Amino acid sequence: MLLRRLIAKPPQSVERDTVLVAGADGLAPIQVQRVRDPRARRIRLSVDERGARLTLPVRASLSAGERFLELHRPWLLEQLARSAVPASVQPLQPGVTTTLPLRGQELPLHWQPGRYTRLELAGDGIHLQWPQRASAAMLARALREFYEAQGRADIGRWMPGHLAGLPRVPGRIRFKVMSSQWGSLSADGAMALDLSLILARPRAFEYVLVHELCHLAQANHSAAFWHEVQCRFPDWRAERAYFHDQGRRLKAQLRALLQD
């Protein structure tokens, strides 16, 4: 029995718990999700719009993970600060929320009573019509539908100018709330785009669209693929840098608004 325990395979399920890391300048400790993953081959620290995550291979010790965290604490604090959502960003609250992000700007939000929950873009900002009985879920759903409609309008303007020379067109395009990606293209040509792109500046959104369209010609990230991107969108490096600086904040901002 002892020999069997010694040679038994390590557990194959993912195990999760939480570890605390000292905050910056005496601020509250930071919660880091610690994940022991059988698929992991090395200790890895990552940050996305949901927070920090420490991934450990099955055979890595907890103390090794803690040393890794302490070694990379300055990097962790920098990344969390970069992705922090402004305190003013909250789920939609009737009569309280005064602006909404759209296309790299904060637009005035005008609340008005009505029979149905509906958002419309006007010259003086965004108008939100809502009945008194509207729930938070109804408001969040209406906001999501509004953002999707705005995103589809942008795609409708941009895409025709980028299709020349491609072997085919996307089968369909849909918006999702993505954790880390900005877009993806399946083998059948279906495209998925992150909904938070509509919060970004328009050129950044257009770059992601072009990036995914280029995968119709080159289903990889080879030199040939980047040549395709360069020919169709010469300023792609500037927009990639924009996402590096602002990406996590945009994703976190959308999740806060949609209560996702």
Side-chain angles (χ1 to χ4, degrees):
M1 184 65 70
L2 176 60
L3 178 60
R4 186 174 300 173
R5 286 202 301 268
L6 290 174
I7 64 175
K9 293 182 179 180
Q12 295 302 303
S13 60
V14 176
E15 300 175 357
R16 294 181 173 86
D17 64 0
T18 301
V19 62
L20 296 179
V21 177
D25 300 325
L27 296 177
I30 298 164
Q31 285 194 344
V32 178
Q33 184 183 49
R34 182 166 53 192
V35 180
R36 191 176 291 280
D37 190 339
R39 297 167 299 179
R41 295 293 176 264
R42 59 185 177 85
I43 300 177
R44 186 166 63 91
L45 181 62
S46 59
V47 177
D48 61 22
E49 72 282 1
R50 297 186 180 186
R53 173 181 173 128
L54 176 69
T55 304
L56 301 176
V58 170
R59 298 189 183 281
S61 67
L62 296 181
S63 59
E66 291 171 359
R67 289 194 299 271
F68 189 89
L69 258 180
E70 183 57 32
L71 178 64
H72 294 85
R73 180 173 168 272
W75 177 89
L76 174 62
L77 295 176
E78 178 186 348
Q79 298 304 310
L80 289 173
R82 180 180 294 173
S83 60
V85 181
S88 58
V89 176
Q90 300 290 335
L92 280 177
Q93 300 179 62
V96 176
T97 307
T98 58
T99 64
L100 281 178
L102 181 68
R103 299 187 177 99
Q105 301 180 51
E106 288 288 333
L107 298 183
L109 177 62
H110 306 281
W111 295 84
Q112 55 195 61
R115 295 182 58 190
Y116 306 102
T117 306
R118 182 180 180 184
L119 288 95
E120 290 185 326
L121 182 62
D124 60 346
I126 300 171
H127 290 252
L128 198 163
Q129 174 181 299
W130 69 291
Q132 292 290 338
R133 68 180 184 278
S135 65
M138 292 170 63
L139 289 172
R141 183 167 59 251
L143 178 59
R144 180 170 186 146
E145 291 172 354
F146 170 75
Y147 278 148
E148 288 188 4
Q150 294 297 313
R152 292 189 184 282
D154 286 346
I155 291 172
R157 289 194 300 272
W158 297 329
M159 194 161 70
H162 296 298
L163 293 177
L166 294 177
R168 52 180 174 150
V169 299
R172 60 189 175 95
I173 299 177
R174 63 191 179 109
F175 285 98
K176 298 171 57 179
V177 178
M178 297 181 168
S179 180
S180 56
Q181 292 179 298
W182 293 101
S184 64
L185 189 76
S186 64
D188 65 358
M191 185 185 298
L193 296 171
D194 184 33
L195 184 58
S196 62
L197 287 168
I198 194 60
L199 275 59
R201 65 190 188 193
R203 287 291 287 173
F205 182 178
E206 187 177 4
Y207 157 63
V208 174
L209 175 65
V210 172
H211 182 112
E212 298 306 326
L213 288 174
C214 287
H215 280 308
L216 293 167
Q218 299 288 337
N220 48 53
H221 285 102
S222 64
F225 166 80
W226 289 111
H227 176 73
E228 192 80 27
V229 173
Q230 177 70 31
C231 291
R232 296 175 182 276
F233 202 95
D235 296 334
W236 64 270
R237 288 182 178 83
E239 304 312 325
R240 187 174 66 174
Y242 169 82
F243 283 120
H244 179 75
D245 291 336
Q246 302 293 327
R248 281 197 291 271
R249 182 186 62 82
L250 293 171
K251 288 177 178 289
Q253 192 173 28
L254 180 71
R255 287 188 179 276
L257 288 168
L258 298 184
Q259 306 179 63
D260 192 298

PDB file of all heavy atoms in Angstrom, residues 9 24 32 58 190 214 216 220 222 233 235 246 260:
ATOM      1  N   LYS A   9      -0.027   8.406  -9.522  1.00  0.00           N
ATOM      2  CA  LYS A   9       0.047   9.612 -10.340  1.00  0.00           C
ATOM      3  C   LYS A   9      -0.491  10.800  -9.549  1.00  0.00           C
ATOM      4  O   LYS A   9      -1.383  10.668  -8.715  1.00  0.00           O
ATOM      5  CB  LYS A   9      -0.784   9.441 -11.613  1.00  0.00           C
ATOM      6  CG  LYS A   9      -0.224   8.414 -12.567  1.00  0.00           C
ATOM      7  CD  LYS A   9      -1.069   8.343 -13.827  1.00  0.00           C
ATOM      8  CE  LYS A   9      -0.488   7.333 -14.809  1.00  0.00           C
ATOM      9  NZ  LYS A   9      -1.305   7.249 -16.038  1.00  0.00           N
ATOM     10  N   ALA A  24       0.841  47.940  -2.486  1.00  0.00           N
ATOM     11  CA  ALA A  24       1.828  49.016  -2.627  1.00  0.00           C
ATOM     12  C   ALA A  24       1.637  50.070  -1.544  1.00  0.00           C
ATOM     13  O   ALA A  24       0.509  50.460  -1.234  1.00  0.00           O
ATOM     14  CB  ALA A  24       1.698  49.653  -4.015  1.00  0.00           C
ATOM     15  N   VAL A  32      -4.481  37.000  -4.909  1.00  0.00           N
ATOM     16  CA  VAL A  32      -4.001  36.328  -6.117  1.00  0.00           C
ATOM     17  C   VAL A  32      -4.603  34.929  -6.142  1.00  0.00           C
ATOM     18  O   VAL A  32      -4.494  34.183  -5.158  1.00  0.00           O
ATOM     19  CB  VAL A  32      -2.458  36.235  -6.133  1.00  0.00           C
ATOM     20  CG1 VAL A  32      -1.974  35.480  -7.373  1.00  0.00           C
ATOM     21  CG2 VAL A  32      -1.841  37.632  -6.087  1.00  0.00           C
ATOM     22  N   VAL A  58       1.845  20.633 -11.070  1.00  0.00           N
ATOM     23  CA  VAL A  58       1.436  19.728  -9.994  1.00  0.00           C
ATOM     24  C   VAL A  58       2.557  19.509  -8.990  1.00  0.00           C
ATOM     25  O   VAL A  58       2.327  19.477  -7.776  1.00  0.00           O
ATOM     26  CB  VAL A  58       0.953  18.386 -10.581  1.00  0.00           C
ATOM     27  CG1 VAL A  58       0.756  17.357  -9.479  1.00  0.00           C
ATOM     28  CG2 VAL A  58      -0.344  18.589 -11.351  1.00  0.00           C
ATOM     29  N   ALA A 190     -15.809  31.698 -39.354  1.00  0.00           N
ATOM     30  CA  ALA A 190     -16.616  32.473 -38.418  1.00  0.00           C
ATOM     31  C   ALA A 190     -15.689  33.328 -37.540  1.00  0.00           C
ATOM     32  O   ALA A 190     -14.698  32.828 -37.005  1.00  0.00           O
ATOM     33  CB  ALA A 190     -17.462  31.547 -37.553  1.00  0.00           C
ATOM     34  N   CYS A 214      -7.072  39.091 -42.049  1.00  0.00           N
ATOM     35  CA  CYS A 214      -5.840  38.584 -42.663  1.00  0.00           C
ATOM     36  C   CYS A 214      -5.642  37.094 -42.400  1.00  0.00           C
ATOM     37  O   CYS A 214      -4.934  36.412 -43.152  1.00  0.00           O
ATOM     38  CB  CYS A 214      -4.640  39.382 -42.169  1.00  0.00           C
ATOM     39  SG  CYS A 214      -4.551  41.060 -42.856  1.00  0.00           S
ATOM     40  N   LEU A 216      -7.824  35.000 -42.879  1.00  0.00           N
ATOM     41  CA  LEU A 216      -8.486  34.303 -43.979  1.00  0.00           C
ATOM     42  C   LEU A 216      -7.484  33.954 -45.078  1.00  0.00           C
ATOM     43  O   LEU A 216      -7.678  32.993 -45.823  1.00  0.00           O
ATOM     44  CB  LEU A 216      -9.603  35.175 -44.561  1.00  0.00           C
ATOM     45  CG  LEU A 216     -10.807  35.432 -43.640  1.00  0.00           C
ATOM     46  CD1 LEU A 216     -11.671  36.543 -44.215  1.00  0.00           C
ATOM     47  CD2 LEU A 216     -11.618  34.158 -43.460  1.00  0.00           C
ATOM     48  N   ASN A 220      -2.173  31.750 -39.558  1.00  0.00           N
ATOM     49  CA  ASN A 220      -1.025  31.602 -38.664  1.00  0.00           C
ATOM     50  C   ASN A 220      -0.534  33.011 -38.322  1.00  0.00           C
ATOM     51  O   ASN A 220      -1.177  33.998 -38.678  1.00  0.00           O
ATOM     52  CB  ASN A 220       0.090  30.794 -39.344  1.00  0.00           C
ATOM     53  CG  ASN A 220       0.382  31.302 -40.757  1.00  0.00           C
ATOM     54  OD1 ASN A 220       0.631  32.490 -40.964  1.00  0.00           O
ATOM     55  ND2 ASN A 220       0.339  30.403 -41.733  1.00  0.00           N
ATOM     56  N   SER A 222       2.739  33.908 -39.171  1.00  0.00           N
ATOM     57  CA  SER A 222       4.015  33.847 -39.872  1.00  0.00           C
ATOM     58  C   SER A 222       4.399  35.218 -40.409  1.00  0.00           C
ATOM     59  O   SER A 222       3.638  36.190 -40.326  1.00  0.00           O
ATOM     60  CB  SER A 222       3.908  32.856 -41.037  1.00  0.00           C
ATOM     61  OG  SER A 222       2.954  33.326 -41.979  1.00  0.00           O
ATOM     62  N   PHE A 233      -2.883  47.575 -43.185  1.00  0.00           N
ATOM     63  CA  PHE A 233      -3.030  48.475 -42.044  1.00  0.00           C
ATOM     64  C   PHE A 233      -1.634  48.859 -41.556  1.00  0.00           C
ATOM     65  O   PHE A 233      -1.130  48.319 -40.568  1.00  0.00           O
ATOM     66  CB  PHE A 233      -3.813  47.768 -40.921  1.00  0.00           C
ATOM     67  CG  PHE A 233      -4.466  48.710 -39.952  1.00  0.00           C
ATOM     68  CD1 PHE A 233      -5.782  49.095 -40.117  1.00  0.00           C
ATOM     69  CD2 PHE A 233      -3.761  49.217 -38.876  1.00  0.00           C
ATOM     70  CE1 PHE A 233      -6.392  49.954 -39.218  1.00  0.00           C
ATOM     71  CE2 PHE A 233      -4.346  50.075 -37.975  1.00  0.00           C
ATOM     72  CZ  PHE A 233      -5.667  50.449 -38.139  1.00  0.00           C
ATOM     73  N   ASP A 235      -0.346  51.128 -39.790  1.00  0.00           N
ATOM     74  CA  ASP A 235      -0.156  51.641 -38.429  1.00  0.00           C
ATOM     75  C   ASP A 235      -0.466  50.597 -37.358  1.00  0.00           C
ATOM     76  O   ASP A 235      -0.729  50.950 -36.212  1.00  0.00           O
ATOM     77  CB  ASP A 235      -1.053  52.870 -38.199  1.00  0.00           C
ATOM     78  CG  ASP A 235      -0.672  54.037 -39.095  1.00  0.00           C
ATOM     79  OD1 ASP A 235       0.499  54.113 -39.501  1.00  0.00           O
ATOM     80  OD2 ASP A 235      -1.559  54.860 -39.389  1.00  0.00           O
ATOM     81  N   GLN A 246      -3.791  49.900 -22.698  1.00  0.00           N
ATOM     82  CA  GLN A 246      -5.170  50.165 -22.279  1.00  0.00           C
ATOM     83  C   GLN A 246      -6.077  48.939 -22.272  1.00  0.00           C
ATOM     84  O   GLN A 246      -7.217  49.029 -21.797  1.00  0.00           O
ATOM     85  CB  GLN A 246      -5.790  51.214 -23.217  1.00  0.00           C
ATOM     86  CG  GLN A 246      -5.050  52.526 -23.286  1.00  0.00           C
ATOM     87  CD  GLN A 246      -5.125  53.280 -21.979  1.00  0.00           C
ATOM     88  OE1 GLN A 246      -6.120  53.208 -21.258  1.00  0.00           O
ATOM     89  NE2 GLN A 246      -4.068  54.026 -21.650  1.00  0.00           N
ATOM     90  N   ASP A 260     -20.738  41.603 -15.499  1.00  0.00           N
ATOM     91  CA  ASP A 260     -20.398  40.272 -16.007  1.00  0.00           C
ATOM     92  C   ASP A 260     -19.373  39.602 -15.082  1.00  0.00           C
ATOM     93  O   ASP A 260     -18.328  40.160 -14.834  1.00  0.00           O
ATOM     94  CB  ASP A 260     -19.814  40.386 -17.412  1.00  0.00           C
ATOM     95  CG  ASP A 260     -19.723  39.042 -18.099  1.00  0.00           C
ATOM     96  OD1 ASP A 260     -18.987  38.180 -17.584  1.00  0.00           O
ATOM     97  OD2 ASP A 260     -20.392  38.846 -19.138  1.00  0.00           O
TER      98      ASP A 260
END
